[in-house]
Amino acid sequence: VQYSKIVGSSFSNSPSFIKVMKNTAIVAPFTEYLHVENCVFDSSKTDVIWIDFSVRNITLVNCTFSNNLASAGSIRIEGGEQGTIHLRDLTFANETSNGDGVLAIKAISVSEISVQRIAFTDNVVKGRGGSVFIETEIKHG
């Protein structure tokens, strides 16, 4: 699967809702483009969206994350190379991260990270960073 799109969905009281990894995935193990839009993620006991390998483009638009208990971030993006990450109109409320940031981006290298209109309310972060933790190398082309 090269393109995975999730729109208008609600996820509540479940394990990881979206997981894109080399060996296990809810979406697809080799997705090049991931688009999540108009979704609600509520009351998870682990990372809500966890992407742990090269996804060429990641787009999250108009999603709400509330009352989740994450081990490393409600949104956790790790390991992507030379792709883009676009995050727009997201809300994080009453989130707890035992890792680095409610929104944690630890990508090897990306060509662009765009973060627009993100709201953070009453969140707790026990690792490095605050609401947002970004550790990456931006590629200039």
Side-chain angles (χ1 to χ4, degrees), residues 46-74:
T46 186
D47 306 321
V48 177
I49 296 177
W50 182 6
I51 300 167
D52 189 21
F53 78 107
S54 294
V55 173
R56 206 168 271 199
N57 293 296
I58 300 164
T59 301
L60 302 173
V61 179
N62 196 34
C63 293
T64 300
F65 300 83
S66 59
N67 305 307
N68 297 298
L69 174 60
S71 61
S74 294

Side-chain angles (χ1 to χ4, degrees), residues 3-137:
Y3 187 84
S4 294
K5 187 171 186 176
I6 300 170
V7 178
S9 299
S10 180
F11 303 88
S12 184
N13 213 10
S14 299
S16 287
F17 299 126
I18 299 173
K19 190 181 283 189
V20 182
M21 304 175 72
K22 288 182 181 177
N23 297 320
T24 178
I26 292 173
V27 174
F30 299 105
T31 297
E32 288 186 39
Y33 303 93
L34 175 63
H35 183 98
V36 180
E37 185 173 353
N38 297 327
C39 291
V40 175
F41 302 91
D42 181 59
S43 302
S44 171
K45 301 298 184 228
T46 186
D47 306 321
V48 177
I49 296 177
W50 182 6
I51 300 167
D52 189 21
F53 78 107
S54 294
V55 173
R56 206 168 271 199
N57 293 296
I58 300 164
T59 301
L60 302 173
V61 179
N62 196 34
C63 293
T64 300
F65 300 83
S66 59
N67 305 307
N68 297 298
L69 174 60
S71 61
S74 294
I75 298 176
R76 176 180 175 178
I77 301 171
E78 297 180 336
E81 288 192 40
Q82 298 183 351
T84 61
I85 300 170
H86 296 278
L87 308 172
R88 186 174 71 243
D89 299 317
L90 304 178
T91 300
F92 296 89
N94 300 313
E95 299 288 280
T96 299
S97 173
N98 289 319
D100 301 329
V102 172
L103 167 59
I105 301 173
K106 301 178 188 180
I108 294 169
S109 64
V110 294
S111 59
E112 178 183 2
I113 297 176
S114 172
V115 179
Q116 300 174 339
R117 296 180 301 274
I118 310 296
F120 296 94
T121 305
D122 296 326
N123 300 299
V124 175
V125 176
K126 297 180 181 177
R128 298 178 293 172
S131 294
V132 178
F133 179 82
I134 298 175
E135 181 178 65
T136 188
E137 176 185 329

